[in-house]
């Protein structure tokens, strides 16, 4: 019989599993706390569980962490792990220390099928969804290793902020994502605040509604363009629903979100989406004047300088262009931050996460065939 990986279930799932073994709920809670709060893998060492239960667990279950291929530490303290997920696939997880908190950037898929032009994960294509256990194992590994490395005391935690901004489109792996989020949020698990767990999506409208109903956490939407013609090219799934429907979904999400704003991410691509005129269009859009049927969305803007990689054929906007763009937004009263690039000396910055992906979707071939969009200086991917 295949043993159940206990990282694959949230607390309700573990309660059901333990119920099947004739154990009460509080036993499942104890077990859950050993795994996630103490980082214990060996049932033998879970000393307050009855010996008979521990012996049973060894036969039917395991706690299966990910195998680390490499760990890199950046000059600014950013840590990047490369994990083996089998069959030639590897995923990346990044820890970003800040003065007042530690953020973990977590992957949801090996590769990504959305195929955004400016994203190195997108260029690699898609291999497979990660399991709940593989998503949770990234946090499990980072939290428990960092506690030792940073010399934290009992009860102190290394990570208090999780962003689903690593490799993959989390809402295309919804079934595995939700139990993973629940484990992150559970007081017996990692006890993270809903406001400090962020799902970042390229904008899957129906799934945004589902997340709102099932497990509302903070939401970031990767917008990258103020109009459909450009967004269709940069973020191919925009062709399905379009920006107006996306804005409507954002408004519905806010009804149940733990924060009263959506974070829009906007990756600055030189000569593509970074003109002051496009900034004004973006202001009109989010303020509900830009597009028929696109309502005003309470939001913050996160402007991300593009992190180049060779195959993209795109360039980072010059710094003055980024500041000028942000200024237009700020002057219109929109809270705007220019994201600091962290960990780029170890290729850990946004969009540089490439891992190792056995592409099953031929996305690379498709991308090479379509031209890079550029309203001001048309050119083609070499
Ligand atoms: N698939 C999700 C989450 C992963 S990408 C999404 O698209 O939102 C996380 C963020 O990194 C997104 O905002 C994405 O647009 C941004 N990003 C991707 N490639 C980038 C690059 N080369 N430079 C800067 N940001 C990038
Ligand atoms: Fe996928 Fe997000 Fe990269 Fe787009 S930006 S290809 S959705 S990981």
């Amino acid at each position: 019989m295949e043993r159940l990986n206990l990282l694959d279930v949230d607390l309700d799932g573990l309660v059901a599993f333990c119920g099947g073994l004739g154990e009460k709920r509080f036993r499942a809670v104890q077990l859950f706390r050993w795994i996630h709060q103490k980082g214990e893998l060996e049932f033998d060492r879970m000393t307050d569980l009855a010996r008979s239960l521990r012996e049973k667990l060894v036969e039917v279950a395991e706690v299966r962490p990910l195998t680390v291929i490499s760990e890199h530490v950046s000059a600014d303290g950013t840590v990047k792990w490369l994990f083996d997920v089998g069959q030639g696939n590897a995923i990346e997880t990044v820890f970003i220390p800040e003065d007042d908190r530690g953020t973990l950037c977590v992957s949801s898929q090996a590769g990504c099928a959305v195929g955004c032009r400016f994203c190195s994960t997108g260029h690699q294509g898609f291999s497979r969804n990660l399991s709940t256990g593989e998503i949770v194992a990234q946090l499990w590994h980072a939290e428990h290793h960092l506690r030792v490395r940073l010399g934290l005391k009992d009860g102190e935690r290394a990570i208090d902020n999780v962003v689903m901004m690593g490799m993959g489109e989390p809402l295309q792996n919804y079934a595995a994502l939700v139990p993973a989020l629940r484990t992150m949020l559970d007081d017996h698990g990692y006890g993270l605040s809903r406001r400090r767990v962020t799902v970042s999506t390229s904008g899957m409208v129906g799934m945004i509604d589902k997340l709102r109903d099932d497990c509302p956490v903070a939401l970031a939407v990767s917008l990258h363009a103020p109009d459909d013609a450009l967004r269709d090219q940069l973020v191919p799934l925009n062709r399905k629903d379009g920006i107006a429907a996306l804005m409507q979904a954002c408004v519905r999400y806010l009804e149940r979100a733990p924060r009263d704003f959506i974070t829009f991410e906007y990756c600055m691509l030189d000569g593509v989406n970074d003109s002051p005129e496009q900034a004004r269009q973006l202001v009109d859009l989010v303020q509900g004047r830009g597009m028929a049927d696109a309502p005003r969305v309470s939001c913050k803007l996160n402007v991300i300088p593009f992190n180049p990689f060779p195959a993209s054929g795109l360039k980072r906007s010059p710094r003055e262009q980024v500041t000028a763009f942000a200024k237009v937004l700020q002057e219109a009263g929109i809270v705007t931050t220019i994201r600091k690039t962290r960990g780029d000396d170890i290729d850990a910055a946004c969009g540089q996460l490439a891992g190792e992906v056995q592409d099953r979707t031929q996305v690379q071939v498709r991308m090479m065939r379509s031209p890079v969009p550029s309203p001001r200086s048309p050119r083609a991917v070499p």
Side-chain angles (χ1 to χ4, degrees):
M1 190 184 72
E2 170 99 29
R3 289 186 294 174
L4 178 71
N5 177 10
L6 299 186
L7 297 179
D8 267 325
V9 289
D10 57 16
L11 183 55
D12 284 348
L14 193 59
V15 169
F17 178 71
C18 288
L21 302 176
E23 299 290 338
K24 298 229 164 63
R25 183 188 156 87
F26 83 97
R27 287 287 176 218
V29 170
Q30 272 180 313
L31 184 53
F32 201 71
R33 293 173 69 101
W34 270 111
I35 298 168
H36 298 292
Q37 296 195 341
K38 299 207 178 93
E40 186 53 73
L41 297 174
E42 302 295 340
F43 299 124
D44 259 1
R45 290 204 283 259
M46 302 183 180
T47 42
D48 55 0
L49 300 183
R51 181 179 297 273
S52 58
L53 172 58
R54 282 187 267 155
E55 285 169 358
K56 212 177 324 170
L57 283 171
V58 172
E59 283 167 26
V60 295
E62 64 181 327
V63 182
R64 196 186 312 143
L66 290 170
T67 307
V68 182
I69 298 173
S70 64
E71 182 193 274
H72 293 281
V73 183
S74 154
D76 65 14
T78 301
V79 185
K80 180 175 84 169
W81 291 276
L82 185 66
F83 293 108
D84 184 8
V85 291
Q87 296 179 324
N89 293 310
I91 54 153
E92 295 184 317
T93 308
V94 180
F95 173 71
I96 306 140
E98 280 159 296
D99 293 344
D100 56 341
R101 63 177 175 182
T103 295
L104 193 71
C105 181
V106 170
S107 293
S108 56
Q109 299 180 308
C112 182
V114 177
C116 301
R117 299 232 50 118
F118 48 84
C119 172
S120 117
T121 307
H123 270 254
Q124 285 186 304
F126 176 69
S127 179
R128 68 167 174 88
N129 280 327
L130 298 184
S131 63
T132 298
E134 289 166 332
I135 298 174
V136 170
Q138 297 170 61
L139 175 57
W140 183 90
H141 180 91
E143 176 65 39
H144 297 296
H145 278 72
L146 289 167
R147 274 191 205 170
V148 176
R149 165 137 10 128
L150 304 173
L152 300 184
K153 297 191 211 66
D154 249 8
E156 284 184 330
R157 59 182 183 206
I159 293 155
D160 49 17
N161 204 36
V162 167
V163 293
M164 298 300 306
M165 293 185 186
M167 296 166 69
E169 167 51 53
L171 296 186
Q172 284 194 346
N173 184 15
Y174 191 78
L177 174 73
V178 170
L181 295 176
R182 292 198 172 123
T183 297
M184 295 174 193
L185 299 171
D186 202 302
D187 283 340
H188 298 298
Y190 297 85
L192 298 176
S193 146
R194 274 182 196 281
R195 303 153 60 87
R196 289 183 161 241
V197 173
T198 301
V199 167
S200 176
T201 177
S202 52
M204 302 182 64
V205 169
M207 301 316 283
I208 291 176
D209 286 328
K210 261 184 92 50
L211 186 68
R212 176 197 64 167
D213 295 338
D214 294 337
C215 190
V217 291
L219 187 69
V221 173
S222 297
L223 198 53
H224 309 309
D227 64 74
D228 279 320
L230 183 55
R231 192 164 194 272
D232 281 352
Q233 298 185 61
L234 292 175
V235 185
L237 64 68
N238 191 65
R239 292 170 205 155
K240 178 164 176 279
D241 296 304
I243 293 178
L246 178 57
M247 294 294 160
Q248 291 165 15
C250 288
V251 169
R252 290 193 295 273
Y253 195 85
L254 284 169
E255 292 163 8
R256 302 201 42 194
R259 291 182 178 272
D260 58 4
F261 60 89
I262 303 281
T263 303
F264 287 124
E265 296 168 278
Y266 197 101
C267 179
M268 299 290 286
L269 304 166
D270 185 28
V272 174
N273 64 355
D274 63 346
S275 72
E277 176 51 30
Q278 285 162 318
R280 283 187 284 275
Q281 247 183 299
L282 183 59
V283 168
D284 284 344
L285 172 67
V286 301
Q287 294 184 341
R289 295 183 305 270
M291 207 181 272
D293 304 325
R296 178 184 172 280
V297 180
S298 164
C299 66
K300 290 190 181 174
L301 243 299
N302 203 334
V303 173
I304 315 171
F306 170 60
N307 292 308
F309 57 98
S312 73
L314 296 160
K315 288 203 304 243
R316 175 185 288 190
S317 307
R319 188 134 54 119
E320 317 75 71
Q321 192 79 7
V322 176
T323 347
F325 192 91
K327 193 156 171 264
V328 173
L329 299 166
Q330 279 153 352
E331 282 174 356
I334 300 168
V335 176
T336 304
T337 45
I338 300 174
R339 187 178 293 170
K340 270 190 289 179
T341 295
R342 300 285 304 263
D344 53 348
D345 54 338
I346 54 166
D347 279 354
C350 297
Q352 288 184 325
L353 302 187
E356 200 64 53
V357 172
Q358 301 306 312
D359 181 25
R360 294 174 199 277
T361 56
Q362 297 281 299
V363 76
Q364 288 184 330
V365 179
R366 280 187 277 126
M367 277 191 167
M368 299 298 264
R369 290 197 189 123
S370 55
V372 173
S374 175
R376 282 191 276 141
S377 55
R379 65 191 144 185
V381 172

